[in-house]
Every structure is written in structure tokens, then in C-alpha cells.
Amino acid sequence: MPGDLTHVTPVHIVGAGPAGLATAAALRARGIRSVVLEKGAEAGTSWQGHYDRLHLHTTRALSGLPGLPIPRSYGRWVARDDVLRYLRAYAEHHELEIVTGVEVTRVDRAPDGGGWVLRATGGRVLNSPTVVIATGHNHTPHLPQWPGLDTYGGTVLHASEYRNAAPFAGQDVLVVGTGNTGTEIAVDLTEGDAKRVRIAVRTLPHIVRRTTLGWPAQRNGIMVRRLPVRFVDRVAARLDRMSTPDLGEYGLPRPASGLYTRVLEGAIPVQDVGFIRAVQSRRVLPVPSVHSFAKDRVILGDGTEITPDVVIAATGYRRGLEPLVGHLDALDAHGAPRAHGARTLPDAPGLHFTGYTNPISGMLREIALDAERIARTVTRSRRA
């Protein structure tokens, strides 16, 4: 382990999720002190908000962070609670310096141009030559402003508020969104005795088997990530026809767009954890996308009107970086960092972002790689 780093000007890391912890550990391994600032009560707090049945869609072996593998006893597909246990054990193992209950609200350039000023709750003002923003890809729940939503008298929840199916037993539920979260919640509801489960489809999903003959889909993602997009699209289409049934008769035909093309647009394939079987057995009923709401009903894209007891919007998240760094010209038109990982913008040296992509090769795997790259870059800059 490195020696005493107490009196060294630290790198400040915003967020004690996987990306922030991994970067702090990689820096510490190189003798560079960091302080992780976390608005929650402890490391990994954001993971507590995920639904109960969640498991990683990436394998245990390919999801560990630098310097400490995930225990084999957690199984191949690590459960949410075990992810939390791992993150907290990780912070303890690496003796990371984490300050909880502190929310960084704004990052500014230092007046002398030689670093960064962080403004945080409690009137804190912190200075550092290097700042790593790691507040998370799924930071701010996004609820579309459908026409009529403000006058709707029914119950609408964002998926971030969903924990398990128990409160919805015997109810008619509409899930909006066919990503991994929406499809998994839909399956969970059917297993929890919801009276009826419909899922509103705006964009047809690519559905892949989590494993094929023991081979995880994640390894395919790693293998093809650097290959030509059109080639991967063609190969993926052939594998799709071989491994998954055509759900067209149930309202979910195969997408016309290529799988990897969609990935580069930000749409990760849906890993099947029971969704295909639930659709085939008509326990989950695909319906057109939501068009609007009225006082007591939901109006779908084809004009159909339905009256579910509950609407659960699995409509994604926003990164929520605008208040923090939006004034620095560090974000693109979609609110994503213009530079990521070890790379920084020419007019923002020492300002790093990590954990804001969702690659086909697995988010945790790329977070681990990014942490090492950032640590190497910071080490070189401090030696210069």
C-alpha cells in the first residue's frame, strides 16, 4: 500500500458509486491521494434504489473493479444486494477516503486557472488541480411530459420508485418502456400476481439470450466492439434468428435497424431473463406506445384507450450534469460529457468524467478500464 498521503493535495472525486471508487483505488495504488465526495450516507448508496430482483447483466468475472475481484460466492450473475456488499467491502479493502453527506453542486475553474473549485453543501469550498466527476449514468429519473399527464387522475410511477411486485398484486399495470428495466419489471409483476401486465412499445427492442450454451452475451459485446458496424449488424441478425423466436405475432416483431447501430445510438439490447416466455404465454401483452393521458385513461399511439390501475414509466434517466458543469462547455447537446475517461477537453485540463457510457461490453468492465487510464494520466501530469 502507498505511504502516508495525508498532506498531499488530493484529487477530488464526485460520487462514491463504482466509477468513483474504482478511480480512487487506482489512484491510491499509484500513491496519489483522493477524496471521494458522496451525497448519500455511504458508498454505493444509489444501488439501494434499484428494484429488488435486479442482477447484473454482466458476469461476475467481468464486472470486478481494480484490485479486488467480486467473490465467487456471489454467483455468476450478481444480485443487487451483493453489489452493495461488494462496493462497501471494496472501499474498506482499499482504505478509500470517502466523505459522505456532501453534495457537490458546482465546479468552477480556479481564478488563477491552475485547477478547480468545488462548491458543496454546508458552504464548503474545495480546491484541487484534478477533479473526477463520477455521479453516475442513471442519475436523474426521466418522466416524459406526455400531453394530459398533469390532469391524469391515476397513479404514475417512475421505475426508480419500483421495488417489487407485492403492492401491485391483483392490479392492472401498464409498463412503459422496453429496455432492460421495463422488461424485467414486467416479468416481476407477472410473477407477483398482477392481474394484467401490458408493456407499451415505442421502439422495438433487440432481445438477446443472456447466455448461449454457457457463453455470455457480454463476451460477444467485447469481441465485436471494435469491428465495423455493418458487419456486426449482419452477424447479430443471423444470431438473433438462430437463438430467439420471432415475437411478431405477439406484437414484437424483430427490429429493422441493426443491433450495433442501435447500441451506438444509446440503446443496449435487452437481455432475456424471462421476458420472451412471458410474452409467448401472453402474461405480458405488448401494446403501442403511450400517446397521451386523459383524466381517467391512457391513450395509446393507435388511438386505443385503456384504464390501467397503475402506470410504471421505465423511461430512463438523465445524467443530470448541467447544474454541476453545464457552464463549462463540457457537455454535448444531449448532456453527455464531451470528453470521457483519461481524455480531457483542451480548455478543461484536469477535469475527468467516468461512468457516463453504457457500452455493449459492459459498464462495470469499462469503468474498471477507465479508472486505470485516468490514474495513469493523473500520475503523468503530476510528474510533469
Side-chain angles (χ1 to χ4, degrees):
M1 295 294 293
D4 181 14
L5 305 178
T6 305
H7 302 292
V8 179
T9 302
V11 173
H12 280 96
I13 300 173
V14 185
L21 298 178
T23 304
L27 288 167
R28 183 170 176 78
R30 290 166 174 79
I32 297 176
R33 180 187 173 210
S34 67
V35 175
V36 184
L37 305 169
E38 166 57 43
K39 70 176 182 179
E42 51 190 326
T45 297
S46 62
W47 276 83
Q48 290 178 329
H50 293 305
Y51 49 93
D52 294 349
R53 73 175 284 151
L54 177 67
H55 286 67
L56 292 181
H57 291 164
T58 54
T59 66
R60 174 191 55 78
L62 295 173
S63 300
L65 303 179
L68 185 69
I70 299 175
R72 292 179 62 87
S73 61
Y74 289 2
R76 193 178 199 190
W77 311 103
V78 184
R80 180 204 63 182
D81 288 350
D82 285 334
V83 173
L84 271 168
R85 289 170 57 197
Y86 169 68
L87 293 178
R88 288 161 187 172
Y90 187 86
E92 182 177 353
H93 174 81
H94 288 292
E95 300 178 354
L96 302 182
E97 191 174 345
I98 303 173
V99 182
T100 59
V102 175
E103 181 178 7
V104 177
T105 56
R106 184 179 172 96
V107 178
D108 289 302
R109 292 182 176 86
D112 62 2
W116 302 96
V117 178
L118 292 79
R119 306 185 191 281
T121 51
R124 295 175 177 84
V125 178
L126 306 168
N127 295 273
S128 180
T130 307
V131 173
V132 180
I133 308 296
T135 52
H137 188 270
N138 295 338
H139 183 272
T140 306
H142 171 65
L143 186 67
Q145 293 304 300
W146 290 291
L149 180 60
D150 56 343
T151 63
Y152 180 59
T155 301
V156 179
L157 305 173
H158 188 270
S160 60
E161 301 174 81
Y162 181 90
R163 293 297 172 268
N164 56 61
F168 308 101
Q171 296 195 30
D172 184 337
V173 185
L174 173 67
V175 179
V176 183
T178 51
N180 279 294
T181 297
T183 55
E184 193 159 347
I185 287 176
V187 172
D188 197 44
L189 287 164
T190 66
E191 295 175 357
D193 298 322
K195 180 175 71 175
R196 175 164 56 184
V197 179
R198 288 176 281 206
I199 188 165
V201 182
R202 182 172 64 90
T203 304
L204 293 170
H206 285 275
I207 305 173
V208 300
R209 299 290 188 188
R210 188 163 64 173
T211 60
T212 302
L213 299 176
W215 180 263
Q218 182 188 5
R219 289 200 178 274
N220 291 335
I222 294 170
M223 290 171 60
V224 306
R225 193 174 179 201
R226 305 299 180 188
L227 296 178
V229 175
R230 291 184 180 179
F231 172 77
V232 177
D233 282 347
R234 289 196 298 271
V235 172
R238 292 173 185 167
L239 290 175
D240 183 26
R241 288 191 293 270
M242 293 170 56
S243 63
T244 60
D246 186 353
L247 300 176
E249 65 178 292
Y250 305 98
L252 279 177
R254 299 187 194 278
S257 56
L259 182 148
Y260 200 27
T261 295
R262 289 279 303 283
V263 167
L264 296 180
E265 295 171 351
I268 294 297
V270 170
Q271 290 200 11
D272 178 40
V273 290
F275 182 68
I276 290 175
R277 184 177 301 173
V279 170
Q280 289 177 318
S281 63
R282 301 193 186 276
R283 290 179 294 125
V284 173
L285 305 171
V287 297
S289 61
V290 171
H291 175 268
S292 57
F293 286 75
K295 184 177 180 180
D296 59 353
R297 61 195 184 278
V298 180
I299 303 165
L300 304 179
D302 64 351
T304 302
E305 298 183 2
I306 61 175
T307 55
D309 298 313
V310 180
V311 177
I312 299 176
T315 47
Y317 295 79
R318 297 293 182 263
R319 300 171 186 88
L321 291 169
E322 287 81 1
L324 194 63
V325 296
H327 57 289
L328 297 174
D329 194 30
L331 307 177
D332 64 18
H334 303 289
R338 293 171 50 215
H340 196 271
R343 191 171 67 88
T344 61
L345 295 172
D347 59 346
L351 181 63
H352 296 267
F353 296 85
T354 181
Y356 296 100
T357 61
N358 194 12
I360 194 172
S361 50
M363 181 183 289
L364 290 176
R365 177 180 181 273
E366 296 305 320
I367 280 173
L369 295 173
D370 261 351
E372 298 287 2
R373 296 180 187 121
I374 291 171
R376 287 195 296 268
T377 297
V378 173
T379 301
R380 286 196 297 267
S381 70
R382 294 210 167 191
R383 289 174 178 168

